[in-house]
Amino acid sequence: MQLMSDEELEEMFEEYEVFLKSLSFPIQEQIISQPVDLKVYIDSQTSIYAKTSNDKRKELLASYIDYSKQIETSNQIMQRKRYIVFSVPVKQQTNKAFEIAKKTAFTNENHIINGLLSLKLLARPLNNLQLLRLLHVLFDYETAQLSPIQSDTIKEIITGGTEV
């Protein structure tokens, strides 16, 4: 957006306003700062390091890998992601009511995605792992930064206990 002219910015905001007015359900937009996950990049550099025979290049790659790991675990680098949140109530506790709510949620999701795509903005729903990572960031930023969740399978946290 910083490279857009005033006319382009005004046009984009007008189109976004039209999109917002097209919604027949309430939404909430959140901008959340999150740590950058450089694991894939660091792994690729480590793979190159393992295949390198030149000692000087290995030394340089090793220091670059260490530097990348330090950046990843520091507060120096983060990304801001935008999320659009909406809810669909389940009117009764029946399978039919649940299916209706699910269908409404998918319809609303498609409306949002298509509306944002028409503005040339990338939009996609979160998968389970992405949602867990987002919740991890919201509730424990430091641990999420140092040790992000790697699987969408969560072990049971509470075991045992008695019912009162």
Side-chain angles (χ1 to χ4, degrees):
M1 289 176 52
Q2 293 174 345
L3 299 176
M4 291 181 157
S5 69
D6 290 342
E7 294 86 23
E8 291 172 321
L9 277 172
E10 187 174 327
E11 182 181 335
M12 188 184 79
F13 285 127
E14 286 174 4
E15 289 175 5
Y16 189 69
E17 182 180 356
V18 169
F19 161 70
L20 290 175
K21 287 180 179 180
S22 76
L23 298 174
S24 59
F25 52 91
I27 65 166
Q28 182 177 17
E29 187 174 350
Q30 293 289 318
I31 302 171
I32 300 172
S33 296
Q34 295 179 257
V36 175
D37 186 4
L38 297 175
K39 183 173 177 25
V40 173
Y41 179 73
I42 291 170
D43 288 347
S44 72
Q45 294 301 308
T46 304
S47 175
I48 293 170
Y49 175 84
K51 296 174 188 172
T52 302
S53 58
N54 183 317
D55 289 338
K56 292 289 183 189
R57 186 164 186 211
K58 276 188 123 165
E59 184 180 329
L60 184 63
L61 276 169
S63 67
Y64 189 65
I65 290 167
D66 288 341
Y67 176 71
S68 298
K69 287 178 181 178
Q70 288 173 6
I71 286 177
E72 184 181 37
T73 57
S74 73
N75 286 333
Q76 295 174 2
I77 185 169
M78 65 177 60
Q79 58 188 343
R80 287 192 177 96
K81 290 189 175 182
R82 294 176 185 268
Y83 296 91
I84 293 180
V85 182
F86 66 92
S87 64
V88 176
V90 179
K91 306 231 185 242
Q92 300 171 341
Q93 290 191 5
T94 64
N95 285 340
K96 184 177 180 181
F98 177 75
E99 289 302 319
I100 290 169
K102 191 173 163 183
K103 185 176 178 184
T104 303
F106 283 124
T107 302
N108 293 353
E109 175 186 295
N110 286 330
H111 184 78
I112 290 170
I113 289 172
N114 292 331
L116 293 175
L117 287 174
S118 72
L119 297 169
K120 298 178 181 76
L121 297 172
L122 178 63
R124 62 182 180 272
L126 295 180
N127 62 33
N128 288 343
L129 181 57
Q130 292 167 326
L131 180 60
L132 287 172
R133 285 183 174 172
L134 174 61
L135 292 171
H136 192 199
V137 165
L138 292 173
F139 289 102
D140 188 1
Y141 187 87
E142 287 184 24
T143 304
Q145 189 175 23
L146 297 172
S147 180
I149 295 173
Q150 299 299 321
S151 169
D152 64 352
T153 305
I154 297 179
K155 295 180 181 179
E156 188 175 335
I157 296 171
I158 301 172
T159 56
T162 57
E163 197 171 310
V164 180

